[in-house]
Amino acid sequence: DKLREENTQLKAQLRYRDKKDNQPYFGSSTPSSKLKFKENSKEENKKKQGGAKLGHKGQGRKLWDEAEADEVVDLRIETKKCPACGGKLESRGIDYRSVLDAVLVEAKKVLYRSQIKACCDCKKQVVQAPIVLPKFKYGNNLITNAVIMHYLEGVPIKRLVEIFGNGVSSSGLIKIFHFLADKFESVYEQLKIDLRSEEVKHADETGWRTDGANGYSWLFNSKEISLFRFEKTRSSEIVRDTLGENQIPGVLVVDRYSGYNQVPCKLQYCYAHLLRNLQDIEKKFPENKEIKSFVKDFAQLLAEAMKLRNKEISDKKYHKEAQELQEKILSLARAPAKHCAIQTYQNIFIENENRLFHWVENRDVPADNNKAERELRPTVIARKVSFGSQSVKGAKTRSVLMSILHTAVKRLDDQTIKQWFVSALEMLADDPSVDLYAILRNI
């Protein structure tokens, strides 16, 4: 019997190795950016056609009138003769064409002529100075566009130089970025303190190179705060430095990375990661009936737990369904199993019960860590384009400015991020000692 069991396991391992040779290095956890190719579309998706059904009246394109248009351009026919036959042309009215257009983001040279007056009594001079940052040749609009495009949209600095043109240089942009990071550093430190008091927090990390060396991009976020850290290490000391060592309120949603184990608050493990781990077991032993049955039942419960929070039901009904799901999950985790792979997976839920069911007690706590992973995704794209930070100071600047911008975006309602940042620069230019944290807090 032992030999048969060993033979079955060895065959399963061989199948797993054969599949692994044709699969990505990290298996089901491999990010899409590292996939060599993507699967072809399914047949049912290929058959789907765009547009409305035959015979259905189309919606058409909505035109806007002169009151809605930002600009009205009159196009006039200057000639009085027909270009085809030379006959006389007569007026037949006006045709309208609605077009969405954009102004090119190009630097323009501006010369401010500041008027100077002097007091007839005390001889003191009064100058109407432009509202721009002192000792910098770049205006507030150009700086704002550069900061947003680089740190929010992931456009490389060299590409920014090509877009702006007209004398804008990489060194000039880098200098202004470092200057702004120094100014906003106190705000960044205050965001750390604010994050600790948030009821629901998320954390995740991904690779990021700094000065050619491997490192990590950390993200700690909540509903109104985003805190980025670009560090050389993945050590738990980053977590301790961010969230502190004293007990803090709330729940931190994470994957099962051990660096978060010493966090001074409750932990909620991500069910999406656990679901992938569960599906990997079936891939490793595809012919085992016990594993197939276990994976099918357990995967359905995990999926229901992740979807439950978004259902349009009352809180009372939510808590009732959540408790029922918890009982089913624990019942399946404690059920007797023969296969060691199932037992190992069951132990995760038995040994970490206090880190798996905070979503049952509090509807605001999700059963997955999608909030952090989705917000970290643009950083992964920026990593592919820029290949990381060129210096430690550049990584620190990126940490500060990305945190400020992403936090501001979460808090803005009617005002756009561009309008807010231009306003903040004008306040800073007018008064270098202005409280920048108050500007962010009072959005």
Side-chain angles (χ1 to χ4, degrees):
D1 291 340
K2 288 181 180 179
L3 288 173
R4 288 194 185 96
E5 180 65 24
E6 183 182 7
N7 191 32
T8 303
Q9 290 184 2
L10 289 172
K11 285 182 178 179
Q13 288 178 13
L14 283 173
R15 285 194 298 270
Y16 176 71
R17 288 187 181 183
D18 290 339
K19 286 187 176 182
K20 193 173 180 181
D21 290 340
N22 299 320
Q23 287 183 353
Y25 183 75
F26 297 105
S28 59
S29 299
T30 305
S32 59
S33 60
K34 293 187 179 294
L35 292 176
K36 294 181 180 179
F37 59 88
K38 295 185 178 180
E39 295 180 0
N40 294 327
S41 299
K42 297 179 180 178
E43 287 299 324
E44 56 266 27
N45 292 334
K46 289 180 181 179
K47 294 177 182 177
K48 292 180 180 179
Q49 299 292 329
K53 294 181 180 179
L54 187 63
H56 179 78
K57 185 179 179 181
Q59 297 293 330
R61 187 176 5 173
K62 183 182 177 182
L63 302 179
W64 41 83
D65 55 24
E66 295 184 11
E68 295 176 304
D70 297 316
E71 182 182 1
V72 179
V73 180
D74 290 321
L75 301 176
R76 297 187 178 275
I77 302 174
E78 300 298 335
T79 180
K80 296 181 179 180
K81 294 183 178 181
C82 174
C85 67
K88 183 180 178 181
L89 295 177
E90 59 181 16
S91 178
R92 291 292 177 87
I94 297 174
D95 184 31
Y96 292 91
R97 172 75 184 274
S98 300
V99 175
L100 285 172
D101 209 343
V103 180
L104 293 176
V105 183
E106 186 176 349
K108 61 180 179 180
K109 297 177 180 178
V110 179
L111 177 64
Y112 287 99
R113 296 189 296 185
S114 301
Q115 187 178 19
I116 302 174
K117 290 187 177 181
C119 178
C120 297
D121 297 330
C122 66
K123 307 302 180 184
K124 182 180 178 179
Q125 287 190 346
V126 179
V127 182
Q128 181 61 45
I131 306 177
V132 293
L133 294 173
K135 299 182 181 179
F136 284 103
K137 71 173 184 178
Y138 298 151
N140 296 333
N141 286 307
L142 190 147
I143 293 172
T144 298
N145 281 324
V147 169
I148 292 174
M149 291 171 71
H150 185 55
Y151 293 108
L152 268 184
E153 299 171 4
V155 181
I157 292 181
K158 287 187 177 180
R159 180 67 182 133
L160 288 178
V161 173
E162 295 174 2
I163 292 172
F164 291 130
N166 217 356
V168 176
S169 64
S170 299
S171 59
L173 291 176
I174 292 171
K175 186 177 179 181
I176 192 67
F177 292 162
H178 290 333
F179 170 81
L180 292 175
D182 291 340
K183 288 292 183 181
F184 278 100
E185 187 171 4
S186 60
V187 183
Y188 179 77
E189 294 299 324
Q190 186 61 44
L191 287 178
K192 282 186 188 179
I193 300 172
D194 294 346
L195 180 70
R196 296 170 188 175
S197 61
E198 290 288 299
E199 186 64 28
V200 181
K201 301 171 275 285
H202 299 256
D204 198 12
E205 71 287 331
T206 187
W208 185 270
R209 292 175 68 84
T210 300
D211 195 19
N214 290 334
Y216 291 89
S217 168
W218 293 77
L219 170 64
F220 300 86
N221 69 345
S222 65
K223 186 178 179 181
E224 291 196 347
I225 297 174
S226 292
L227 192 77
F228 288 86
R229 298 194 60 168
F230 294 85
E231 306 286 349
K232 291 183 177 180
T233 177
R234 202 188 180 196
S235 168
S236 60
E237 66 183 39
I238 304 298
V239 182
R240 290 196 298 271
D241 181 68
T242 304
L243 298 176
E245 298 184 0
N246 299 323
Q247 191 67 26
I248 58 176
V251 178
L252 179 67
V253 185
V254 295
D255 53 22
R256 290 192 301 121
Y257 172 50
S258 60
Y260 299 108
N261 288 345
Q262 302 303 318
V263 115
C265 70
K266 298 175 183 177
L267 288 180
Q268 169 65 52
Y269 283 160
C270 173
Y271 277 26
H273 287 80
L274 291 167
L275 181 59
R276 284 201 295 266
N277 295 339
L278 180 66
Q279 292 166 342
D280 286 341
I281 298 175
E282 187 176 16
K283 292 177 183 177
K284 190 173 181 180
F285 304 100
E287 296 179 1
N288 190 291
K289 293 181 179 180
E290 183 188 14
I291 287 179
K292 278 187 176 181
S293 176
F294 176 80
V295 170
K296 181 182 177 181
D297 295 339
F298 216 116
Q300 185 178 355
L301 294 175
L302 296 180
E304 288 179 10
M306 288 187 283
K307 293 176 182 177
L308 181 61
R309 181 168 170 262
N310 296 322
K311 282 187 177 181
E312 295 182 358
I313 55 177
S314 64
D315 290 343
K316 184 178 180 180
K317 189 172 182 181
Y318 169 84
H319 290 299
K320 182 182 178 181
E321 292 189 19
Q323 288 171 0
E324 291 174 355
L325 274 173
Q326 179 182 3
E327 291 172 4
K328 290 179 181 178
I329 291 172
L330 288 175
S331 175
L332 196 53
R334 292 166 181 163
K338 295 180 180 179
H339 203 286
C340 58
I342 297 177
Q343 295 172 4
T344 303
Y345 190 82
Q346 287 175 319
N347 287 337
I348 297 174
F349 285 80
I350 295 171
E351 296 170 1
N352 300 285
E353 186 176 342
N354 62 329
R355 295 178 176 179
L356 287 164
F357 298 103
H358 294 295
W359 57 271
V360 177
E361 305 161 8
N362 187 350
R363 190 172 186 173
D364 292 331
V365 178
D368 55 65
N369 199 23
N370 287 345
K371 186 174 181 64
E373 293 186 353
R374 288 172 181 169
E375 194 168 337
L376 199 58
R377 193 169 297 161
T379 305
V380 176
I381 297 172
R383 177 183 66 199
K384 291 180 66 178
V385 178
S386 64
F387 305 106
S389 300
Q390 303 304 311
S391 64
V392 175
K393 188 174 182 180
K396 177 64 176 176
T397 295
R398 179 174 284 275
S399 301
V400 173
L401 293 182
M402 282 188 67
S403 300
I404 301 301
L405 291 172
H406 281 262
T407 300
V409 167
K410 288 182 175 181
R411 301 182 181 187
L412 290 169
D413 292 326
D414 299 330
Q415 197 179 25
T416 66
I417 183 63
K418 183 177 179 180
Q419 292 170 335
W420 175 82
F421 203 79
V422 168
S423 176
L425 291 180
E426 289 176 350
M427 293 182 189
L428 183 61
D430 187 54
D431 180 12
S433 62
V434 67
D435 186 356
L436 293 173
Y437 176 70
I439 296 174
L440 182 62
R441 184 187 58 210
N442 298 329
I443 292 178

